[in-house]
Each structure stands twice: as structure tokens, then as C-alpha cells.
Amino acid sequence: MIEKLASVLQENGIRKTDSLLIAFSGGMDSNVLCRALQDLGYSLSLAHVNFQLRGEESAEDANFCRNFAEKNALPYFQKDCETEEYAQKQKLSIQEAARTMRYDFFRDLQKEFNFKAVLTGHHADDNLETFLINFTRSGGFKGLKGIPLKRQFYLRPMLAISRKELKNYAIRKSISWREDASNQSLK
């Protein structure tokens, strides 16, 4: 797994001297990405967005992320969002509002601190799910796309790595993470 990650980073011009920002949720994907990048010797900062949609669980996720950053001596940025209020004002779905706020936050950090890239923990299973959703919604050739590896300064270096590979790495390295209960919901 780590060899695949290192290869993607190298192919996309990411050097160990580059300053990188990880979109850090506290979930398995972003924790594995962080640990693997640490193992490879990259310079990292973490950014967590607390959408405040799941009450105490959201607060516990944010605390987990902050504590993880402190324990690993990593720079940490957090944005607390009033997601439901923003969605209503902007006439957006909760998902669209969260996406907008998340990417605005990452873009602002990237500009302010001149990060070479913002890395997300999307993996092969996410890519397949996106492909299937796009295909069924759009149909035809427009639907035949998944998550792009790179867009602007965003890089998703684990798209060729399966969730099973990530979980095996997490278990082997004794990586802990937070499970987001909303991921299990069909809503």
C-alpha cells in the first residue's frame, strides 16, 4: 500500500520538502493517509471541519483530531461550521453546504500557508461508488467518471488503494480512528 502511495506522490511532483495539508476527518482513511505520509517522511499539517451535524459525536471527532495532531506534533487547523444555517441561507442541501464550506476552508488555508497540495483520503472504493452514482444519475458518457486524482491543488493519492488495503495497514500499524455513524446511514 505505501509503495502505491509513494509512487502516486512522486508521479504528481510531490517532494518530501513540500508542505502538505491533509483534509483530516479522524476516520480511517485520513488517519492511514497521515500515518503513511509520516512514515514516508513528508511535512504535514492537518485541517478538520466540524460541521456540527451530529451533536456530541461531532465534538468528539473534533477533539480526537485535535488530540491526534498534538500527540504527533502536527500543525492543526479547525473550522467549526453552522452547516444547517448556512444550507438554509444559501438554499443548498446539507451535503452541498458542507462541501462548499469544506473546500472554501481548504482553499483559504492553501493560499495563506502556501501548501503544495491538499490531500484527501479518498480511496478506490470511494471512486467506484462515485462512478456508480454518476453513471446512474447522468447515464451515458457523462456518467462514466469517478473522482479525479488531481484538481487544482487537490490530490487524492489513494485512489488506487482499496479500503481493505487501508484497513490492513491500519491494523498492522495499530492506527486508531473514529467511525462516523452517519456513514452507515442510507440517508
Side-chain angles (χ1 to χ4, degrees):
M1 187 225 69
I2 201 162
E3 297 81 15
K4 288 181 189 178
L5 177 61
S7 177
V8 169
L9 294 170
Q10 184 178 11
E11 289 167 9
N12 284 276
I14 304 295
R15 299 179 310 251
K16 291 185 181 179
T17 55
D18 292 330
S19 185
L20 305 174
L21 181 66
I22 296 179
F24 194 73
S25 68
M28 183 184 68
D29 309 342
S30 60
N31 274 281
V32 167
L33 177 60
C34 182
R35 176 61 183 274
L37 290 170
Q38 287 177 305
D39 289 350
L40 289 168
Y42 285 89
S43 174
L44 310 174
S45 295
L46 306 179
H48 177 73
V49 182
N50 180 358
F51 295 109
Q52 302 186 81
L53 293 171
R54 294 174 289 110
E56 189 60 33
E57 190 177 349
S58 291
E60 289 172 7
D61 289 348
N63 287 334
F64 176 91
C65 293
R66 188 179 314 98
N67 291 336
F68 179 93
E70 288 174 10
K71 180 180 166 187
N72 288 279
L74 296 171
Y76 177 76
F77 306 94
Q78 180 175 313
K79 181 176 179 82
D80 296 317
C81 299
E82 298 294 337
T83 309
E84 290 177 341
E85 182 181 313
Y86 180 84
Q88 287 178 342
K89 283 182 181 177
Q90 299 298 318
K91 296 181 178 22
L92 298 170
S93 72
I94 293 293
Q95 285 188 331
E96 290 170 319
R99 185 179 308 111
T100 298
M101 290 186 291
R102 177 175 58 242
Y103 282 108
D104 286 351
F105 178 51
F106 298 154
R107 184 194 62 241
D108 291 347
L109 289 173
Q110 189 276 333
K111 284 182 181 178
E112 183 176 349
F113 296 97
N114 200 31
F115 290 109
K116 168 78 175 189
V118 176
L119 307 179
T120 70
H122 293 97
H123 51 77
D125 297 38
D126 294 327
N127 201 22
L128 177 60
E129 178 182 337
T130 299
F131 169 83
L132 293 172
I133 289 169
N134 287 341
F135 183 74
T136 58
R137 285 185 184 162
S138 303
F141 290 115
K142 186 177 179 188
L144 296 176
K145 63 179 180 174
I147 302 169
L149 173 67
K150 191 172 186 180
R151 182 176 53 88
Q152 300 168 339
F153 50 82
Y154 294 101
L155 181 63
R156 297 161 185 93
M158 299 194 308
L159 287 180
I161 301 169
S162 71
R163 179 168 174 76
K164 183 178 179 182
E165 289 175 284
L166 295 178
K167 192 163 193 173
N168 288 340
Y169 187 84
I171 291 167
R172 196 169 60 253
K173 295 287 188 169
S174 300
I175 299 170
S176 61
W177 67 85
R178 297 271 305 162
E179 280 294 337
D180 180 344
S182 66
N183 286 340
Q184 305 306 315
S185 169
L186 297 177
K187 182 180 175 185

